[in-house]
């Protein structure tokens, strides 16, 4: 995973002095005498000599970038790693815990925290630095913190480079491109008002864009409200350049999601806050729909840290990190079974989706489409559920699934990423291949027509199908983003390992960032966008 930004001070690994190789090699080595037990120094056989100087072991553990479960296995299998290390900064911690703490300090969102804030996060995660490390790494993987990313919003698009520079293009009727005008943009342009601010995450809705900086501040532009249901209202207030969201200034935000009638943000401590849609208690609170104050999500997730949020049409998914493992909670509208609880009942408070325990699946990544949802498990299996129109669940039919169901057609594929839109789903494998299924309108699935004479027909795909047009580019896909809105014809982006961006689908507002022929409104085949996100 990525380390801290360049502004973060270099971590000192417990005062291990830097020595040139020549100095170490030239050091006079002792003469070995027969029968002398040098491997134990002056200790008795059976004692580990490195316990006299744990700096060496600690240095190895921290520089190898081990995962939290690796450190836990060391403690479970060796008493040397289980007992207190008697070492700074906490003499009661084991070497594994100290290594986990050191690696936490490499994370950009952890380093600025005060001692009190760090201890509070530790308790929220279960009282262990290893669990804090797992929480931080899981969050970075889910929403690509500190890495390049692209957002296929409704009618407009946002691209963020690995250095935090933001480009926007497409529909701009409400100033959602952030360039200070309301003119549509047909070519990617950097948002100059953000010069000097490093952006690490973005989200978009109809007529609205939200960006999050590396210091946890949230910037918004376009229509000035936190619910998407006011689309097209005459006289709606708007801003055309990024403005700081004042009500979130005291919350260090790491992710945002917009899901029709509400907006949700996630803090670095794993707390979820929501705006709007509280007039009838839909999201745990009673508020005016136009309320601009963030309200904490109450109920089961008050004391459980969340690593990722995903919003669909009137519902919210939360990927939670507990000592027992990862789990998914859902809240909101249950129409079509998209909450995953076996019914279509609405939920006003977050409720655990229990089906993953029955499937013995450890959720790692979540995606919320307009009417259906998907999860990638640690073992690479993919589950989908909700409204199955157009085959968007990948089960070979259009039936609803009221609980998560494994996509059997992908049983020989190890998935690492999933994206969901309006009756459309994409899955990315560990080998960089992309698979898509669901609604084929505007060529948003990226498949060439099997019959050239049917080029303008948008056939649905009921089971996962390899996007061969991306495979022909010999590029490993690492992220897919597709429009998640019931109001706009969708477009899709594929981001490759080398930072190249490919676009396909609807492009009538310039949201693809590529040139279209006269009277052309879409691109069926992925085309390279002239922007380098690497």
């Amino acid at each position: 995973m990525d380390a801290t930004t360049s502004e973060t001070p270099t971590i000192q690994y417990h005062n291990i002095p830097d020595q040139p190789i020549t100095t170490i090699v030239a050091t006079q080595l002792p003469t070995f005498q027969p029968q002398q037990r040098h491997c134990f120094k002056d200790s008795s056989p059976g004692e580990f000599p490195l316990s006299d100087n744990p700096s060496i072991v600690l240095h190895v553990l921290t520089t190898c970038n081990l995962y939290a479960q690796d450190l836990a296995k060391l403690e479970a299998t060796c008493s040397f790693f289980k007992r207190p290390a008697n070492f700074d900064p906490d003499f009661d911690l084991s070497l594994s815990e100290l290594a986990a703490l050191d690696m936490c300090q490499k994370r950009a969102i952890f380093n600025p925290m005060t001692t009190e804030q760090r201890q509070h996060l530790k308790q929220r995660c279960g009282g262990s630095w290893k669990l804090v490390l797992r929480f931080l790494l899981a969050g970075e993987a889910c929403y690509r913190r500190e890495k390049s990313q692209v957002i296929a919003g409704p009618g407009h698009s946002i691209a963020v480079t690995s250095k935090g520079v933001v480009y926007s293009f497409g529909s701009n009727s409400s100033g959602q491109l952030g360039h200070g005008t309301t003119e549509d943009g047909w070519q990617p342009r950097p948002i100059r008002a953000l010069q000097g601010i490093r952006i690490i995450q973005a989200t978009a809705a109809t007529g609205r864009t939200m960006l999050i900086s590396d210091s946890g501040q949230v910037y918004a532009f376009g229509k000035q409200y936190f619910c998407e249901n006011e689309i097209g209202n005459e006289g709606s207030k708007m801003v055309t350049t990024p403005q700081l969201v004042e009500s979130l200034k005291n919350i260090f935000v790491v992710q945002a999601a917009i899901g029709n009638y509400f907006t949700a943000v996630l803090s670095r401590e794993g707390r979820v806050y929501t705006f709007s849609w509280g007039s009838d208690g839909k999201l745990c609170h009673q508020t005016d729909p136009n309320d601009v104050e963030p309200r904490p999500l109450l109920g089961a997730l008050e004391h459980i840290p969340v690593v990722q949020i995903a919003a669909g049409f009137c519902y919210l998914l939360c990927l939670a990190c507990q000592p027992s493992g990862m789990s998914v909670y859902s809240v909101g509208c249950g129409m079509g079974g998209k909450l995953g609880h076996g019914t279509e009942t609405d939920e006003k408070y977050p409720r655990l989706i229990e089906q993953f325990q029955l499937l013995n699946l450890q959720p790692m990544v979540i995606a919320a489409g307009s009417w259906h949802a998907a999860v990638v498990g640690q073992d690479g299996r993919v589950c989908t559920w909700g409204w199955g129109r157009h085959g968007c669940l990948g089960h070979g039919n259009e039936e609803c699934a009221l609980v998560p169901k494994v996509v059997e057609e992908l049983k020989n594929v190890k998935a690492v990423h999933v994206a969901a839109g309006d009756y459309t789903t994409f899955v990315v494998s560990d080998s960089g291949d992309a698979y898509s299924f669901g609604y084929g309108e505007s060529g948003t699935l990226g498949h060439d027509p099997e019959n050239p004479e049917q080029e303008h027909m948008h056939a649905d795909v009921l089971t996962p199908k390899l996007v061969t047009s991306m495979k022909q580019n010999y590029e490993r896909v690492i992220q897919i983003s597709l429009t998640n809105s019931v109001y706009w014809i969708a477009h899709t982006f594929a981001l490759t390992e080398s930072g190249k961006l490919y676009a396909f689908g609807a492009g009538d507002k310039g949201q693809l960032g590529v040139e279209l022929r006269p009277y052309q409104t879409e691109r069926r085949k992925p085309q390279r966008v002239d922007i380098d996100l690497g």
Side-chain angles (χ1 to χ4, degrees):
M1 308 304 298
D2 285 353
T4 54
T5 65
S6 59
E7 298 177 358
T8 304
T10 303
I11 298 169
Q12 297 298 324
Y13 294 105
H14 296 281
N15 300 319
I16 301 176
D18 293 324
Q19 300 182 54
I21 297 297
T22 54
T23 302
I24 299 175
V25 174
T27 301
Q28 183 69 33
L29 297 176
T31 303
F32 288 90
Q33 299 296 329
Q35 306 302 321
Q36 187 174 350
R37 297 185 307 193
H38 289 276
C39 58
F40 301 112
K41 297 197 330 182
D42 297 328
S43 305
S44 302
E47 287 191 33
F48 196 47
L50 288 177
S51 60
D52 291 341
N53 188 2
S55 298
I56 301 174
V57 180
L58 189 58
H59 183 64
V60 171
L61 294 180
T62 55
T63 53
C64 286
N65 288 325
L66 298 177
Y67 288 103
Q69 56 265 38
D70 299 323
L71 297 174
K73 290 174 182 178
L74 285 176
E75 282 194 355
T77 57
C78 181
S79 61
F80 171 72
F81 290 101
K82 188 182 299 183
R83 63 173 181 248
N86 295 316
F87 206 72
D88 286 330
D90 190 331
F91 287 84
D92 292 329
L93 294 181
S94 66
L95 278 176
S96 299
E97 278 288 280
L98 286 170
L101 175 57
D102 268 2
M103 284 188 277
C104 286
Q105 291 173 335
K106 294 181 182 180
R107 317 327 298 175
I109 65 172
F110 184 87
N111 223 358
M113 298 176 73
T114 65
T115 300
E116 182 179 357
Q117 290 171 332
R118 292 179 179 186
Q119 290 297 329
H120 179 65
L121 177 60
K122 180 181 177 182
Q123 294 309 312
R124 275 184 61 82
C125 290
S128 165
W129 292 120
K130 293 188 293 295
L131 294 176
V132 174
L133 178 62
R134 184 182 68 165
F135 166 76
L136 296 176
L137 293 179
E140 290 178 5
C142 288
Y143 47 83
R144 295 188 56 77
R145 183 182 174 90
E146 310 285 334
K147 294 176 182 263
S148 56
Q149 58 187 266
V150 61
I151 305 296
H156 74 288
S157 306
I158 303 294
V160 183
T161 72
S162 58
K163 295 182 178 180
V165 179
V166 182
Y167 290 79
S168 61
F169 44 102
S171 176
N172 193 34
S173 58
S174 299
Q176 61 264 40
L177 297 187
H179 299 310
T181 71
T182 55
E183 297 178 2
D184 293 348
W186 289 79
Q187 295 293 329
R189 286 176 53 199
I191 302 179
R192 302 196 181 281
L194 293 170
Q195 189 172 4
I197 301 173
R198 185 181 185 186
I199 299 300
I200 52 90
Q201 205 266 331
T203 189
T206 302
R208 182 172 177 80
T209 302
M210 295 181 73
L211 305 173
I212 300 170
S213 73
D214 60 350
S215 60
Q217 294 182 312
V218 180
Y219 297 84
F221 42 102
K223 290 192 175 182
Q224 281 191 301
Y225 49 75
F226 289 99
C227 49
E228 195 183 339
N229 64 315
E230 296 182 22
I231 296 171
N233 281 9
E234 293 295 332
S236 297
K237 293 182 179 180
M238 64 180 71
V239 293
T240 59
T241 56
Q243 301 292 323
L244 189 66
V245 180
E246 294 290 335
S247 59
L248 288 170
K249 287 180 67 174
N250 295 323
I251 300 174
F252 194 111
V253 177
V254 295
Q255 191 196 356
I258 305 174
N260 297 86
Y261 302 100
F262 75 96
T263 295
V265 297
L266 177 66
S267 77
R268 66 178 173 186
E269 296 82 17
R271 293 185 183 276
V272 181
Y273 297 83
T274 60
F275 294 87
S276 305
W277 207 33
S279 58
D280 56 356
K282 282 285 200 317
L283 293 173
C284 318
H285 51 72
Q286 297 281 347
T287 60
D288 185 272
N290 295 319
D291 191 2
V292 296
E293 292 296 322
R295 307 287 175 170
L297 196 61
L298 305 177
L301 293 177
E302 287 185 72
H303 305 292
I304 300 175
V306 173
V307 301
Q308 184 196 3
I309 54 176
F313 193 87
C314 308
Y315 75 106
L316 179 70
L317 298 181
C318 299
L319 179 62
C321 185
Q322 298 172 269
S324 58
M326 308 294 282
S327 55
V328 181
Y329 289 75
S330 60
V331 60
C333 172
M335 184 182 296
K338 58 182 181 280
L339 296 185
H341 303 306
T343 69
E344 295 190 49
T345 306
D346 295 350
E347 298 289 342
K348 295 184 178 181
Y349 291 88
R351 179 180 171 186
L352 175 69
I353 300 180
E354 300 177 351
Q355 183 67 13
F356 294 115
Q357 298 175 356
L358 300 177
L359 294 173
N360 193 28
L361 185 143
Q362 187 85 203
M364 295 302 293
V365 181
I366 58 176
S370 296
W371 303 100
H372 73 292
V375 155
V376 173
Q378 188 177 38
D379 58 4
R381 284 184 292 169
V382 177
C383 286
T384 58
W385 67 96
W387 213 334
R389 288 185 61 186
H390 304 287
C392 63
L393 301 184
H395 302 312
N397 54 53
E398 296 187 60
E399 298 176 2
C400 290
L402 302 183
V403 295
K405 182 179 177 182
V406 175
V407 181
E408 294 296 335
E409 289 291 327
L410 292 172
K411 62 183 179 181
N412 295 323
V413 174
K414 184 175 182 180
V416 294
H417 171 71
V418 64
D422 186 23
Y423 298 122
T424 309
T425 309
F426 274 79
V427 172
V428 178
S429 72
D430 61 345
S431 60
D433 291 332
Y435 299 80
S436 65
F437 43 100
Y439 196 23
E441 184 176 0
S442 298
T444 190
L445 295 178
H447 300 305
D448 295 328
E450 296 181 2
N451 184 350
E453 296 179 358
Q454 297 179 335
E455 183 176 357
H456 299 291
M457 297 185 64
H458 304 131
D460 295 341
V461 178
L462 303 185
T463 57
K465 183 178 179 181
L466 179 66
V467 184
T468 55
S469 54
M470 280 303 304
K471 191 144 181 96
Q472 292 168 0
N473 292 323
Y474 303 103
E475 290 274 356
R476 287 172 54 92
V477 176
I478 57 174
Q479 186 213 353
I480 293 287
S481 179
L482 63 156
T483 307
N484 186 11
S485 173
V486 298
Y487 301 109
W488 285 80
I489 299 175
H491 66 290
T492 305
F493 288 115
L495 178 63
T496 69
E497 192 173 39
S498 63
K500 294 178 183 177
L501 183 63
Y502 293 85
F504 47 100
D508 57 314
K509 294 292 184 179
Q511 62 265 48
L512 295 180
V514 299
E515 185 177 352
L516 300 181
R517 296 190 299 271
Y519 307 108
Q520 185 182 22
T521 60
E522 64 186 53
R523 298 274 319 180
R524 294 192 60 87
K525 293 184 178 181
Q527 181 172 339
R528 173 83 185 276
V529 182
D530 187 19
I531 179 176
D532 185 6
L533 299 181

